[in-house]
Amino acid sequence: MTDFDQERFDALLATNRQLKRKIFDLYTVFEISRNFNAVLDYHSLIDSFIFTCLGQAGGLKGTIYLEKEDEPDRLYPAMSKGSGELPASDQFIMAESDLTSHLTRLNRPVLTNSLIDDLSPGHAVNILGLFRSGVVVPLIYQTRLSGIFIIGEKINGDDYGTDDIEFLSILGNQIAVAIENARLYEGERSAMNQLQAAQEQLLRSEKLAALGEMSAKVAHEVNNPLGIIKNYLLLLKRQLKEDSEPKELVGVVTEEIDRIARIVKQLLQFHRPQPIPRFEINLNILLTKLLNFMQRQLNTSGIELIKDFSD
C-alpha cells in the first residue's frame, strides 16, 4: 500500500469514527430529549440535565443559571453539580448584560476562555473565571435567552471539541423547551391548587351558612317553650313564701333559664353577626352567683365557705 493509499485509508477511518460518534450522539440526544419531555418536575429536570451533560461531555462541574419569577431581570444559579469551587447562590448574572447579549447573538455554545477574552471585566467575567477551559451554553427559547448553562473543564484535561460543542448545543435547545414546559405545568398546577382551595373555602362558607340557618330555626323553636317555662316559674315564685328555700331554688332555676335564653340569643347572633357589646361588670356579684350555685354541693361535702371580697 502506497503512502497516498494509507493517507486515504486513515482519512476514511477517521471519518467513519466521526460519523459513528455523531450517530451515537444523535441517538443519545434523542433518548435524552424523550426523557426530558416526560419529566414535568422542574427540579428533577434540571438535575437530570446537568448530570447528563457532565456524564456525556466529561465535565468536572456545571451550573445552570435561570430566571426567578420575582426577579426576572437577573439569572441566579438554579442548581450546581460537580467538584471544585462553584458559584454562590447569590452570584447572579444580569439578564441584560454584555454576556447575555453576546450569547443571544451567537445562539450557540462558546468556550469560556474566549468569552473571558472578548468581554470587558465585570461581575459576569468573575463567574466565568470559575469555569476556565469550559463551555458556556445559552438556553434560548423562542429567540429569548431564558438561561445559561456553564460546564467546567474536562476531567481528563482535554479541550472541548466540535462534537462536544454540537452535542451541548442540541441538548441546550432541548432543555430550554423542556424547562418552559415544566414551568407552564407548575403554573397550571399552582392555579389548579388555588382553584381547589377557593372551592373548598366556598364549600365551607356554604356549610357555615346552612349551619347558621339551622341554628336560627332551632333558636326560634327553643325560645317558645323557654318563655312558657319562665312565666310558670314567675307564677310559682309569687305563691311561695319570702326567704324560703323553695323560692331560692326557683330563683336559681330562673337564672338558668335566662342563661339558656342567652345561649339561644348567641345562636341567633351567629346567624346574624352583631358587634360584641362591652360593659363593666361587678366581679363580686358574679362570684356570689357562682358560689350560690355551688352552695348545695359545698354543704353536702361539709365544706364551709368564707367570703371576703374586696370592694
Side-chain angles (χ1 to χ4, degrees):
M1 182 182 293
T2 64
D3 292 341
F4 177 74
D5 292 336
Q6 183 65 41
E7 290 178 2
R8 286 189 62 186
F9 177 78
D10 292 341
L12 288 172
L13 189 61
T15 303
N16 184 52
R17 289 200 196 97
Q18 191 173 12
L19 286 174
K20 283 185 177 180
R21 168 68 188 271
K22 285 183 179 296
I23 292 171
F24 175 77
D25 285 348
L26 287 173
Y27 177 78
T28 304
V29 167
F30 173 76
E31 289 295 321
I32 293 170
S33 299
R34 188 172 62 176
N35 293 333
F36 282 166
N37 292 328
V39 177
L40 292 175
D41 181 72
Y42 180 70
H43 295 285
S44 297
L45 182 64
I46 296 172
D47 181 81
S48 177
F49 168 71
I50 298 178
F51 180 78
T52 301
C53 288
L54 294 180
Q56 291 294 325
L60 183 65
K61 58 184 176 180
T63 298
I64 185 168
Y65 281 80
L66 297 172
E67 297 174 349
K68 282 186 177 181
E69 290 185 3
D70 54 343
E71 294 186 70
D73 60 329
R74 297 178 179 183
L75 303 176
Y76 281 94
M79 189 176 294
S80 297
K81 282 188 174 297
S83 59
E85 186 179 0
L86 294 167
S89 59
D90 58 349
Q91 280 188 290
F92 60 87
I93 297 174
M94 296 301 298
E96 297 292 337
S97 63
D98 294 340
L99 174 61
T100 57
S101 300
H102 189 67
L103 291 173
T104 304
R105 186 169 59 255
L106 291 176
N107 193 15
R108 60 178 174 79
V110 188
L111 295 175
T112 308
N113 291 344
S114 65
L115 273 177
I116 294 175
D117 294 336
D118 293 340
L119 297 176
S120 56
H123 187 66
V125 173
N126 293 337
I127 294 175
L128 296 179
L130 300 175
F131 298 90
R132 287 188 176 275
S133 302
V135 180
V136 180
V137 184
L139 307 181
I140 296 179
Y141 177 74
Q142 294 182 347
T143 71
R144 186 181 70 87
L145 185 75
S146 59
I148 298 173
F149 175 62
I150 313 176
I151 185 170
E153 66 274 16
K154 285 197 170 190
I155 297 175
N156 58 14
D158 293 342
D159 295 330
Y160 285 95
T162 305
D163 293 335
D164 296 317
I165 299 295
E166 186 176 350
F167 175 81
L168 291 172
S169 178
I170 296 173
L171 211 58
N173 291 333
Q174 293 294 324
I175 193 63
V177 176
I179 286 174
E180 288 301 321
N181 289 340
R183 280 179 165 173
L184 288 173
Y185 173 76
E186 286 198 353
E188 274 192 35
R189 185 171 59 180
S190 176
M192 287 295 295
N193 290 339
Q194 291 178 3
L195 179 60
Q196 185 177 0
Q199 289 175 339
E200 291 176 356
Q201 180 65 34
L202 180 61
L203 183 61
R204 284 195 294 268
S205 299
E206 290 177 352
K207 287 182 179 178
L208 287 174
L211 180 61
E213 292 180 5
M214 184 181 68
S215 66
K217 292 178 181 179
V218 171
H220 284 299
E221 292 297 326
V222 173
N223 259 336
N224 292 330
L226 278 181
I228 295 172
I229 293 172
K230 189 171 182 180
N231 288 335
Y232 277 103
L233 284 174
L234 289 174
L235 292 175
L236 180 62
K237 191 174 183 180
R238 290 175 183 176
Q239 297 177 6
L240 295 174
K241 295 180 180 179
E242 292 291 336
D243 299 331
S244 63
E245 185 176 357
K247 193 167 186 176
E248 290 181 3
L249 294 177
V250 169
V252 172
V253 174
T254 303
E255 289 181 359
E256 292 305 307
I257 293 295
D258 291 337
R259 189 161 73 91
I260 295 174
R262 287 193 299 270
I263 294 173
V264 171
K265 186 177 180 181
Q266 289 174 358
L267 287 174
L268 288 171
Q269 290 175 348
F270 176 78
H271 179 55
R272 300 186 184 89
Q274 298 178 355
I276 299 176
R278 296 178 179 274
F279 51 89
E280 291 184 359
I281 186 170
N282 190 322
L283 292 179
N284 291 347
I285 296 175
L286 180 64
L287 288 172
T288 299
K289 289 182 178 180
L290 175 63
L291 295 175
N292 290 340
F293 178 74
M294 298 293 298
Q295 190 65 51
R296 182 174 293 276
Q297 289 93 325
L298 294 173
N299 292 339
T300 303
S301 302
I303 298 174
E304 180 184 1
L305 179 67
I306 300 175
K307 293 183 287 187
D308 184 15
F309 298 146
S310 170
D311 295 335

